[in-house]
Amino acid sequence: MSENIMTVARAMVECLKAEGVKHVFGYPGAAICPFYDELISSDIEHILVRHEVNGGHAASGYARMTGKAGVCIATSGPGALNLITAIATAYMDSIPIVAITGQVNSDQIGRDVFQEADITGSAEPFVKHSYIVKDPSSICDIIKKAFYIAETGRPGPVLIDVPMDVQDMECEFFYPEKVEIRSYKPTTEGNKLQIKRVADAILKADRPLICAGGGVFLSGAKDELKQLVHICNIPVINTMMGLSNIDMSDELYFGMMGMHGVKAANYAVSHCDLLILLGARMGDRAVVALKDLKNTTIIHIDIDPAEIGKNVEVTTPVVGDIKKILTQLLAVIREEKHTEWINELSEIRSSSETVPETRKDAVNPKQFIQTLNSHIEKDAVIVADVGSNQIWTANNIRLTEGRFLTAGGMGTMGYSLPAAIGAKKACPDRQVVALCGDGSMQMQFMELATAVQHGINVKLVVFVNNYLGMVRELQDKLYSRQIAVDITGSPCFDMIAQAYGIKAENVTDISQADQAIRNMLSSDRPYLLQVFVDKEEKSII
Amino acid sequence: MKHTISVLVENHAGVLARVAGLFARRAYNIDSLAVGVTADENVSRITIVADGDDYILEQILKQLNKLIDVIKVRAVNESELLTRELVLVKVNCTPAQRSELISIAKITEAKISDISLNTITLELSDYSNKIKTFEELLRPYGIKEIVRTGTVAIQRGSASLTI
Ligand SMILES: Cc1ncc(C[n+]2csc(CCOP(=O)(O)OP(=O)(O)O)c2C)c(N)n1
């Protein structure tokens, strides 16, 4: 008998190895035990999270930094269900993850047995694709396809559900080199005629603008974007998912657009005569900035044809991989100036940039983030959670070669710490700092244990305002009454950190920020800063 | 506006749920849906009649195309399509009314599929509007039961939808 005959569980591990997987994030349970039993004897490092959702978020942070699919694992029933929020979060942000779940024995499916959940059914709206493994001989093919589907085209999560008895069955291990799915052939090359149209439109425009979204990262097109911006002197703005795909100190960069964006960026979108949407799906929070664009030529470049024309009416659609399209475009464009337009925007940028004021008895978070800017390394990774704190971070952090991560599409509280853990595993040599509110902190602080157990040197900044701040802002604005946003009773997070053996400091006045940040960043262990901010500090301008 | 959409899909378990789920969660309206295997037994064909403006139709086609199991999607103009539905109608029918109903069946080219002392069951395969008229004609006799399939459609002429 061939030595390639092995259990499905073992073949799953061999497949992951063949796929080049080094780290996986998971949480065990009965139905996934056969797989774990094989995983432990491999050299793939398993990071044991403290809640499945965080395994999913960690895989997402990991994927965003490596460009490869992150892997997360859960058991059947409650374990798999706990993953769903993370799967949906990754789906909304087009992040490639492969989620592996255990399932009850195949002959018991559909009988409501202990810890049975129809996970492929429940996750269907949030996955790019999913599989239930019924035939042991299909496992290698399925895993290969799962990675391929997750990573190519518009990336996204793929779920593989494996019944426990199938994990114990025998199969022949053979990892296919190539994938052929007749019904899945994403377009990557841009249509030449359309590229010519884009080049012509750039030539004709007096006030061109590029809005660069998360797709630029997914396609690895930062360099090409920078070249295009500088050869043609086109001002550039970001959606939240696109933040840090262009050097934020670049003269031609005008900040984040949209509901929570800055004045210069929103002015730029409403006054340009050519808008090039680059891997930006123009979600509703971004679209609010696009008021009257009747006379604007709009070019939308995206790998997913379904995004083009969905939220914004487009003059010229270009479907394909951004890196390829920009490379094609760079070959046919020529130098341009647009001095007047750039001056106009620069003036608005400098006149609208305010220096955050120092607060009495509390810290101005914007000032704190600006202080953080002067300490972080050039290529630092900053993970923003959700809420007012996210907007403060998005609009005040200055990254040059660094990376900004956040759950832009789903706005999932509790994303930052687990995503930071994943990001740090992916790039151990880069500083990784997560920033969150005191509300979101309480949705994720169990992951401090994960950081400690696995020696993952992540930094956490908690902005304490004793409120679910962003919801409170909304209530103040629209409902005039506050309800269920006061989170009095929350613990001292410095003591929580200490309980996990993590060093923590309090920042109650901006004068302490400098030293505290220095201490945090110079430590070679996880570190927490508890920053007391003004209760009334707003994010909506 | 109504659109007839033909979808070729992999003949796997769960594909229909994916297609139906897509329509439900994106709030697209389905008028009818019919599924069956094609000449290639690995491929099924789903015919969907959906309601919506041009924007919705474009979204439906694009979103369907994104499903990994969907091989091909096509929406063809009504005028270029041959469409059919099948209806079975059980009508009250006293022995005295029999000849009347049999003549209706003759005129409409319906088949008499079953007959009992007090009922007659007629079968008609035609396009949607014809079936509606057929129903109207039978209503005065008292319809006991009516069963309709979804629309199936094929392009007129030599054009075909295959993989
Ligand atoms: C899982 C989840 N639940 C609820 C919300 C709704 N929500 C958006 S922002 C926010 C408040 C966040 O509070 P906190 O973490 O303290 O941050 P702050 O806004 O005060 O900076 C809430 C509850 C959400 N985005 N995610």
Side-chain angles (χ1 to χ4, degrees):
Chain A
M1 215 200 250
S2 146
E3 61 190 76
N4 283 342
I5 302 292
M6 56 183 78
T7 62
V8 165
R10 168 89 190 283
M12 287 164 75
V13 174
E14 292 300 323
C15 288
L16 294 182
K17 276 160 62 181
E19 198 54 51
V21 173
K22 301 269 182 308
H23 307 99
V24 296
F25 305 87
Y27 205 87
I32 192 74
C33 266
F35 170 72
Y36 264 96
D37 194 52
E38 292 294 343
L39 182 67
I40 294 321
S41 47
S42 81
D43 50 10
I44 295 174
E45 187 188 351
H46 177 259
I47 288 111
L48 176 65
V49 291
R50 296 304 192 262
H51 187 299
E52 290 86 354
V53 73
N54 297 323
H57 289 327
S60 154
Y62 188 83
R64 290 170 73 164
M65 297 314 296
T66 57
K68 290 267 301 159
V71 178
C72 54
I73 301 153
T75 190
S76 70
L81 291 169
N82 271 347
L83 256 185
I84 285 192
T85 306
I87 290 175
T89 302
Y91 183 72
M92 286 292 257
D93 291 340
S94 312
I95 311 300
I97 61 179
V98 171
I100 298 173
T101 51
Q103 181 56 277
V104 300
N105 286 341
S106 46
D107 60 348
Q108 296 188 311
I109 290 179
R111 299 191 194 185
D112 300 320
V113 298
F114 180 64
Q115 294 196 329
E116 177 182 2
D118 171 11
I119 190 62
T120 47
S122 3
E124 169 58 23
F126 316 116
V127 294
K128 189 168 169 188
H129 198 52
S130 60
Y131 294 96
I132 306 182
V133 183
K134 291 191 173 145
D135 171 6
S137 70
S138 67
I139 186 70
C140 301
D141 198 45
I142 285 178
I143 294 185
K144 178 75 188 178
K145 282 181 177 160
F147 276 89
Y148 176 72
I149 291 169
E151 290 171 355
T152 55
R154 177 181 181 173
V158 178
L159 171 68
I160 309 174
D161 195 28
V162 195
M164 193 175 171
D165 57 334
V166 175
Q167 294 171 48
D168 282 325
M169 290 177 192
E170 282 199 331
C171 69
E172 184 176 1
F173 172 72
F174 173 76
Y175 204 60
E177 255 171 40
K178 280 209 336 228
V179 185
E180 168 62 33
I181 306 172
R182 62 175 166 184
S183 53
Y184 176 69
K185 302 238 156 38
T187 310
T188 56
E189 217 73 47
N191 176 298
K192 285 213 181 74
L193 203 75
Q194 295 300 81
I195 305 246
K196 174 85 177 44
R197 290 207 172 107
V198 176
D200 288 347
I202 294 178
L203 206 62
K204 251 209 260 156
D206 293 322
R207 307 157 77 84
L209 180 71
I210 292 175
C211 171
V216 173
F217 290 118
L218 297 167
S219 132
K222 270 177 75 174
D223 289 345
E224 290 76 8
L225 168 62
K226 190 173 167 188
Q227 283 181 52
L228 175 65
V229 164
H230 284 279
I231 294 172
C232 298
N233 275 296
I234 306 177
V236 56
I237 59 172
N238 278 144
T239 59
M240 188 179 279
M241 286 305 294
L243 283 175
S244 78
N245 62 21
I246 185 117
D247 179 347
M248 293 176 177
S249 63
D250 196 305
E251 273 307 300
L252 291 176
Y253 176 65
F254 293 92
M256 181 174 82
M257 73 175 292
M259 180 167 162
H260 296 291
V262 298
K263 191 171 167 195
N266 285 336
Y267 177 92
V269 227
S270 26
H271 291 81
C272 59
D273 62 2
L274 169 67
L275 176 59
I276 304 176
L277 303 171
L278 205 57
R281 70 185 171 92
M282 292 288 112
D284 55 307
R285 297 291 151 118
V287 164
V288 285
L290 311 176
K291 284 209 182 81
D292 185 13
L293 291 177
K294 277 196 202 74
N295 300 317
T296 314
T297 304
I298 302 183
I299 293 169
H300 199 164
I301 304 177
D302 205 292
I303 190 112
D304 181 0
E307 286 303 341
I308 301 181
K310 187 172 93 179
N311 301 333
V312 189
E313 229 175 290
V314 167
T315 325
T316 309
V318 192
V319 177
D321 175 64
I322 294 172
K323 191 183 178 81
K324 285 197 175 159
I325 288 170
L326 290 187
T327 309
Q328 288 170 282
L329 191 59
L330 286 169
V332 293
I333 49 162
R334 58 169 206 232
E335 283 178 40
E336 291 183 52
K337 287 271 176 279
H338 308 119
T339 318
E340 239 175 85
W341 170 230
I342 292 168
N343 287 345
E344 181 181 334
L345 293 180
S346 306
E347 224 157 88
I348 291 171
R349 179 177 54 197
S350 48
S351 69
S352 59
E353 256 172 8
T354 50
V355 180
E357 295 161 21
T358 303
R359 304 267 185 255
K360 259 201 353 217
D361 306 324
V363 177
N364 183 335
K366 297 163 192 165
Q367 218 171 16
F368 179 89
I369 294 162
Q370 293 187 0
T371 312
L372 182 66
N373 286 333
S374 52
H375 291 282
I376 51 174
E377 283 167 9
K378 265 208 303 235
D379 66 349
V381 180
I382 297 292
V383 194
D385 213 280
V386 170
S388 304
N389 63 88
Q390 179 184 30
I391 310 305
W392 299 330
T393 308
N395 284 327
N396 291 282
I397 199 80
R398 282 288 163 271
L399 296 169
T400 53
E401 291 159 33
R403 180 74 193 265
F404 179 84
L405 304 178
T406 198
M410 191 55 89
T412 311
M413 283 171 70
Y415 180 76
S416 59
L417 176 58
I421 287 174
K424 185 70 183 178
K425 273 324 274 187
C427 359
D429 298 332
R430 290 167 77 166
Q431 283 176 340
V432 180
V433 185
L435 300 96
C436 68
D438 44 0
S440 32
M441 175 62 177
Q442 290 174 76
M443 288 202 182
Q444 58 191 328
F445 71 67
M446 67 289 247
E447 296 310 324
L448 290 172
T450 308
V452 171
Q453 182 179 13
H454 297 275
I456 304 168
N457 179 9
V458 287
K459 314 300 182 187
L460 184 59
V461 175
V462 188
F463 291 115
V464 175
N465 56 6
N466 256 304
Y467 271 121
L468 301 176
M470 181 170 266
V471 182
R472 192 214 63 202
E473 280 189 62
L474 188 80
Q475 291 179 352
D476 285 350
K477 219 173 152 180
L478 297 178
Y479 301 92
S480 75
R481 275 204 296 187
Q482 292 183 0
I483 171 110
V485 289
D486 179 334
I487 50 171
T488 306
S490 301
C492 306
F493 299 110
D494 56 330
M495 289 174 77
I496 293 281
Q498 280 152 20
Y500 285 100
I502 290 176
K503 205 155 180 211
E505 274 183 67
N506 291 328
V507 180
T508 52
D509 188 283
I510 193 68
S511 63
Q512 303 161 334
D514 224 47
Q515 191 55 49
I517 291 171
R518 225 184 279 273
N519 296 344
M520 169 175 84
L521 294 177
S522 61
S523 161
D524 57 4
R525 304 205 53 222
Y527 209 99
L528 183 143
L529 293 187
Q530 176 168 235
V531 181
F532 293 91
V533 304
D534 195 323
K535 275 173 146 12
E536 303 304 323
E537 200 66 56
K538 288 191 172 34
S539 64
I540 302 169
I541 314 151
Chain B
M1 221 175 90
K2 301 241 185 291
H3 306 279
T4 307
I5 303 161
S6 301
V7 194
L8 295 182
V9 299
E10 296 290 351
N11 188 7
H12 293 158
V15 178
L16 186 59
R18 286 191 165 123
V19 170
L22 173 72
F23 274 76
R25 71 174 170 271
R26 295 203 180 259
Y28 307 143
N29 291 318
I30 299 189
D31 271 26
S32 85
L33 186 150
V35 209
V37 73
T38 63
D40 176 347
E41 63 176 28
N42 296 313
V43 179
S44 293
R45 181 168 178 143
I46 306 179
T47 309
I48 300 169
V49 179
D51 201 12
D53 56 19
D54 288 348
Y55 167 79
I56 296 285
L57 175 66
E58 186 182 330
Q59 278 296 311
I60 291 176
L61 299 180
K62 284 175 165 178
Q63 295 295 345
L64 278 170
N65 257 315
K66 278 175 69 168
L67 293 179
I68 305 290
D69 285 330
V70 167
I71 307 167
K72 248 184 205 173
V73 183
R74 192 176 291 169
V76 176
N77 243 338
E78 206 69 32
S79 61
E80 293 164 38
L81 274 183
L82 189 63
T83 62
R84 285 294 177 271
E85 277 175 43
L86 176 69
V87 67
L88 294 170
V89 198
K90 191 174 286 180
V91 196
N92 291 328
C93 177
T94 59
Q97 290 172 312
R98 253 180 222 152
S99 60
E100 220 174 294
L101 278 159
I102 289 170
S103 82
I104 289 180
K106 262 205 187 117
I107 297 162
T108 53
E109 293 181 7
K111 214 168 115 187
I112 298 153
S113 299
D114 189 35
I115 197 153
S116 73
L117 196 59
N118 294 314
T119 65
I120 185 165
T121 300
L122 302 177
E123 172 187 335
L124 178 67
S125 151
D126 215 319
Y127 58 89
S128 205
N129 277 343
K130 268 278 190 64
I131 290 190
K132 229 179 261 163
T133 317
F134 182 59
E135 234 183 278
E136 292 311 316
L137 280 174
L138 299 178
R139 201 175 299 283
Y141 299 92
I143 294 176
K144 276 182 77 77
E145 196 176 346
I146 184 159
V147 188
R148 263 169 96 161
T149 64
T151 301
V152 293
I154 199 163
Q155 261 172 283
R156 293 179 187 279
S158 59
S160 65
L161 178 64
T162 49
I163 51 164

